[in-house]
Amino acid sequence: MALDVSPLEIPDVKFIRPARFGDDRGWFSVTYNVQDFAEAGIDAVFMQDNQSRSEGVHTLRGLHFQRPPFAQAKLVRVVAGRVIDVAVDARKGSPTCGKWVKAELTAKGGEQMYVPRGFLHGFLTLEPGTEVAYKVDAPYDQGSDGSVRWDDPDLGIDWGMADLAPVLSDKDKTATLWRDFDNPF
Ligand SMILES: Cc1cn([C@H]2C[C@H](O)[C@@H](COP(=O)(O)OP(=O)(O)O[C@H]3O[C@H](C)C(=O)[C@H](O)[C@H]3O)O2)c(=O)[nH]c1=O
C-alpha cells in the first residue's frame, strides 16, 4: 500500500502519515513496514526501538546525535500527547548544513518523522505525559552521544512559543554551542 510520505523543507527529512483503518471499535494502523518504507525511499535498517515518557509539559530532549560509527537514523512517532519534532542538518557537505526543520507529531494523528544520519534531533513536548517511540538504525553508544543547545543562537530554532523555559536533563543544560560543536558528520 503506498505510504503517505512527503519531504520537509530539507528533503532528506521525511514526514509520514500512516493510514488508519477506523471502525466502531476505534482504528488500526501499520506504523512500520520495511517494504512500504523502502518503496518510499526510507531504507534504513532499524535495529532498536526506543520509548521515552516526559511527565511535564514543555520537556525538551535534544539536540542529540551519536558520532560515527554510531550515527543513527531515526523514525519518530508519538504514542501519547504531542511534540514539536526538530531535525538539524549537521552534514558538513550539505547546502542546508546548520538549517533546521520541524513538524508537529501527535498521538491522535499518528504522524511520523524520519531523521537521517548526520542530523541533530530533538523534541519539545506540548502536553503532560507525552510518550515518544522511535526506531534507530544503530545501537546506543554512550561514548558517542552528544548534545547541542536547543536554543543555540546560530541555529535559531523556532520552537513555536515565546519565553520557553523547558524541562531539560543536566546533559542538555550543558550542551555545546553550534559554533563550538566538533562536528563529526
Ligand atoms: C538514548 C538511550 C539512552 N539510554 C539510557 C541512558 C540514560 O541512562 C537514560 C536516558 O538517556 P538520555 O537522557 O540520553 O535520554 P534522552 O534525553 O531521551 O535522549 C534521547 O533523546 C533524543 C530525542 C534522541 O533523539 C536520542 O535518541 C536520545 O539522545 O537512558 C539507553 O540505555 N539507550 C539509549 O538508546
Side-chain angles (χ1 to χ4, degrees):
M1 172 169 190
L3 201 57
D4 177 355
V5 179
S6 40
L8 291 178
E9 298 83 353
I10 299 175
D12 288 336
V13 182
K14 309 291 184 192
F15 183 74
I16 302 121
R17 202 186 289 277
R20 282 187 172 180
F21 303 103
D23 62 28
D24 53 9
R25 298 166 299 171
W27 52 261
F28 176 90
S29 179
V30 175
T31 53
Y32 177 70
N33 171 289
V34 62
Q35 191 82 32
D36 292 344
F37 274 69
E39 281 164 17
I42 300 174
D43 53 4
V45 180
F46 297 110
M47 47 78 71
Q48 179 174 301
D49 272 331
N50 296 330
Q51 185 164 337
S52 66
R53 178 178 172 87
S54 304
E55 295 302 346
V57 69
H58 300 163
T59 297
L60 199 153
R61 297 176 186 248
L63 300 160
H64 298 164
F65 64 93
Q66 289 195 163
R67 285 178 168 66
F70 295 99
Q72 295 173 319
K74 297 167 188 168
L75 182 63
V76 187
R77 67 193 183 104
V78 172
V79 293
R82 286 186 302 138
V83 304
I84 297 292
D85 206 46
V86 168
V88 180
D89 191 352
R91 301 168 300 180
K92 285 181 272 194
S94 165
T96 51
C97 187
K99 302 293 180 212
W100 52 272
V101 289
K102 69 177 179 180
E104 183 170 333
L105 308 181
T106 70
K108 279 199 176 67
E111 309 87 357
Q112 301 182 10
M113 187 189 280
Y114 173 69
V115 181
R117 293 183 178 187
F119 281 73
L120 313 182
H121 176 243
F123 60 78
L124 170 69
T125 67
L126 300 176
E127 288 177 14
T130 286
E131 295 195 19
V132 176
Y134 52 105
K135 294 180 177 308
V136 293
D137 70 344
Y140 176 62
D141 181 83
Q142 188 167 15
S144 314
D145 194 38
S147 184
V148 173
R149 282 189 66 105
W150 64 278
D151 58 347
D152 185 274
D154 295 322
L155 296 178
I157 295 169
D158 173 12
W159 294 94
M161 57 192 70
D163 308 326
L164 179 56
V167 176
L168 297 169
S169 65
D170 290 343
K171 175 177 83 171
D172 292 343
K173 282 177 187 157
T174 57
T176 312
L177 285 172
W178 176 255
R179 69 169 71 102
D180 301 332
F181 172 42
D182 173 19
N183 187 342
F185 298 110

